[in-house]
């Protein structure tokens, strides 16, 4: 009995020392994070100085799972939506993963976007979307596609299983040389379709653990939501990995037993590499170098400013589906999994997975 009590004490002490999700809330906070002055290190969340008044609204989905037929986006049920991508005319594509569809929200109405796919092929579980010009790229189960964003006509496809038989692609991105990247979380890898050689190849594998969402900046640096390492990392053109946000740790062991998942939330206003994330799955980057993060299990949208400091753009940390029409900072989410910017960079779209909804954040209303 004494031995068991001693082991429990050691595990509790070790868990606290490595920063497990242990929260102590004073009666005055009632569990609700408070806004503190930007740039002040704190155990509470801090609004980004560039977007202190961001507003959130519902864009599509009813809040319940389903396969809706209404042309009203808010009355059309979605099922586990994944990526979104916006066009110059403010139209928005949605990968409605659970319904095996691509939806299009245009001029206030939602419809199913028809794709012309290879003979005998149909969408199974579309997860990643990327737009370059009028080319819409998407990832599906063991396939990549490029279609015309206006007509849905197919211009390119690749059968991943012929090269990497076990890959299930998720995030997708394209660089200035038309190389196509996709994440393969099940194999802890990022792959590249090399436009010069027309071949699929490894781009980054060593050092990643369940990479999911991808984004690419104006310098063709690739950003990866490295989910099980609880971090966002940046890959240069040669695939070299640099941690941008999160501690990069995922577990600690004592005596051969894993005792702690090091994902969590311990505040904002400090260098992003000093602050934890909790299974981030989505990332977007703007022209100024702001990096937006779907911090999924923290139920928040975080942002890393160009100076390297991290902030909370949206979400209180509680699981919920509230706050539309008000400050993004006070909204709640049910596992936000992806973020994407519109071409004007005025709006950030959030895929709220377990709420089966797409939400829109106006960054500077």
């Amino acid at each position: 009995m004494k031995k068991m009590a001693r082991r429990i004490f050691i595990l509790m002490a070790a868990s606290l020392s490595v920063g497990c999700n242990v929260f102590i809330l004073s009666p005055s906070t009632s569990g609700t994070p408070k806004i503190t002055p930007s740039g002040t290190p704190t155990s509470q969340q801090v609004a980004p100085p560039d977007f202190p008044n961001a507003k959130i609204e519902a864009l599509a989905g009813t809040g319940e799972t389903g396969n809706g037929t209404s042309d009203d986006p808010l009355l059309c049920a979605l099922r586990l939506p994944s990526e979104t991508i916006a066009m110059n005319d403010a139209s928005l594509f949605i990968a409605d993963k659970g319904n095996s569809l691509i939806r299009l929200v245009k001029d206030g109405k939602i419809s199913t976007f028809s794709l012309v796919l290879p003979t005998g092929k149909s969408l199974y579980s579309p997860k990643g979307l990327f737009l370059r010009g009028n080319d819409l790229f998407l990832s599906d189960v063991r396939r990549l596609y490029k279609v015309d964003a206006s007509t849905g006509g197919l211009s390119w496809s690749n059968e991943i299983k012929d090269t990497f038989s076990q890959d299930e692609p998720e995030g997708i991105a394209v660089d200035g040389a038309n190389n196509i990247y996709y994440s393969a979380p099940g194999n802890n890898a990022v792959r590249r379709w090399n436009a010069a050689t027309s071949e699929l190849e490894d781009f980054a594998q060593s050092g990643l653990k369940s990479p999911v969402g991808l984004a690419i900046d104006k310098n063709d640096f690739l950003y990866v939501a490295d989910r099980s390492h609880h971090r966002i990392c940046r890959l240069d053109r040669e695939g070299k990995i640099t941690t941008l946000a999160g501690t990069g740790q995922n577990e600690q062991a004592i005596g051969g037993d894993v005792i702690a998942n090091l994902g969590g939330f311990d505040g904002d206003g400090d260098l992003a590499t000093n602050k934890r994330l909790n299974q981030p799955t989505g990332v977007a980057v703007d022209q100024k170098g702001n990096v937006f993060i779907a911090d999924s299990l923290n139920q928040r949208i975080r942002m890393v400013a160009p100076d390297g400091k991290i902030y909370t753009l949206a979400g209180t940390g509680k699981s919920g589906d509230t706050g539309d029409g008000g400050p993004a900072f006070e909204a709640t989410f049910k596992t936000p999994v992806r973020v994407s910017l519109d071409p004007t960079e005025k709006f950030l779209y959030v895929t709220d997975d377990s709420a089966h909804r797409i939400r829109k954040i106006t960054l500077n209303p």
Side-chain angles (χ1 to χ4, degrees):
M1 191 71 181
K2 284 182 181 178
K3 241 176 168 182
M4 185 180 292
R6 183 172 179 271
R7 178 169 175 77
I8 291 171
F9 175 79
I10 290 170
L11 291 180
M12 287 177 64
S15 296
L16 289 171
S17 70
V18 297
C20 262
N21 297 337
V22 178
F23 300 98
I24 301 173
L25 298 173
S26 67
S28 62
T29 64
S30 302
T32 304
K34 62 183 179 181
I35 299 177
T36 59
S38 297
T40 304
T42 174
S43 61
Q44 299 291 338
Q45 65 184 48
V46 182
D50 286 350
F51 309 114
N53 302 308
K55 300 291 184 184
I56 192 167
E57 62 187 289
L59 183 75
T62 62
E64 301 290 336
T65 183
N67 188 352
T69 57
S70 173
D71 65 359
D72 183 334
L74 296 177
L75 298 178
C76 181
L78 308 174
R79 180 175 284 119
L80 297 173
S82 184
E83 200 90 67
T84 63
I85 199 74
M87 298 183 70
N88 287 325
D89 65 357
S91 301
L92 186 76
F93 289 102
I94 303 169
D96 192 359
K97 178 180 63 179
N99 286 320
S100 305
L101 297 171
I102 302 298
R103 309 269 194 177
L104 176 62
V105 179
K106 184 174 183 176
D107 299 327
K109 296 185 180 298
I110 191 169
S111 61
T112 297
F113 185 64
S114 297
L115 302 173
V116 180
L117 300 181
T119 303
K121 299 295 180 183
S122 58
L123 285 184
Y124 181 72
S125 183
K127 296 177 180 177
L129 295 175
F130 188 88
L131 192 68
R132 182 173 291 280
N134 204 47
D135 292 326
L136 177 66
F137 298 83
L138 58 143
S139 64
D140 196 13
V141 175
R142 299 188 187 178
R143 290 192 72 92
L144 305 177
Y145 296 107
K146 179 172 73 170
V147 301
D148 187 296
S150 299
T151 66
L154 180 71
S155 56
W156 176 85
S157 70
N158 190 283
E159 191 92 17
I160 289 172
K161 68 179 183 180
D162 292 343
T163 308
F164 298 104
S165 60
Q166 301 303 312
D167 280 1
E168 295 289 350
E170 288 220 15
I172 188 168
V174 184
D175 68 17
N178 295 316
N179 299 306
I180 303 170
Y181 303 84
Y182 72 87
S183 60
N187 288 312
N188 303 317
V190 171
R191 316 284 194 196
R192 175 172 64 185
W193 184 80
N194 190 315
T197 64
S198 297
E199 293 181 349
L200 278 173
E201 59 190 18
D202 282 315
F203 181 65
Q205 185 165 16
S206 177
L208 298 175
K209 191 166 185 180
S210 193
V212 188
L214 300 181
I216 202 156
D217 69 11
K218 59 185 179 182
N219 298 312
D220 283 343
F221 286 174
L222 191 70
Y223 294 73
V224 181
D226 195 11
R227 178 174 58 195
S228 293
H229 276 148
H230 307 291
R231 68 173 177 170
I232 301 297
C233 55
R234 184 172 61 197
L235 279 60
D236 66 16
R237 296 180 188 88
E238 284 71 48
K240 181 181 177 182
I241 299 172
T242 302
T243 297
L244 183 74
T247 62
Q249 296 176 300
N250 68 310
E251 59 190 31
Q252 179 165 325
I254 290 182
D257 297 327
V258 174
I259 65 162
N261 178 325
L262 297 188
F265 179 82
D266 44 20
D268 295 317
D270 197 357
L271 287 177
T273 49
N274 294 336
K275 295 297 184 180
R276 289 178 300 162
L277 306 175
N278 202 347
Q279 296 201 14
T281 54
V283 60
V285 57
D286 68 14
Q287 294 294 309
K288 294 179 179 178
N290 294 304
V291 179
F292 301 88
I293 303 166
D295 195 359
S296 298
L297 294 193
N298 276 329
Q299 308 295 355
R300 292 176 169 94
I301 304 304
R302 313 284 288 281
M303 192 201 87
V304 180
D307 64 2
K309 291 183 179 180
I310 192 168
Y311 303 95
T312 293
L313 176 71
T316 66
K318 292 183 177 181
S319 178
D321 186 15
T322 63
D324 291 318
F329 198 84
E330 298 174 7
T332 60
F333 295 97
K334 286 185 178 179
T335 321
V337 293
R338 296 288 194 279
V339 285
S340 67
L341 288 156
D342 79 310
T344 68
E345 299 187 344
K346 294 178 181 177
F347 308 111
L348 184 78
Y349 298 94
V350 179
T351 305
D352 203 1
D353 176 88
S354 296
H356 310 283
R357 301 170 74 214
I358 307 300
R359 301 168 81 179
K360 176 182 175 182
I361 296 175
T362 303
L363 295 173
N364 273 315

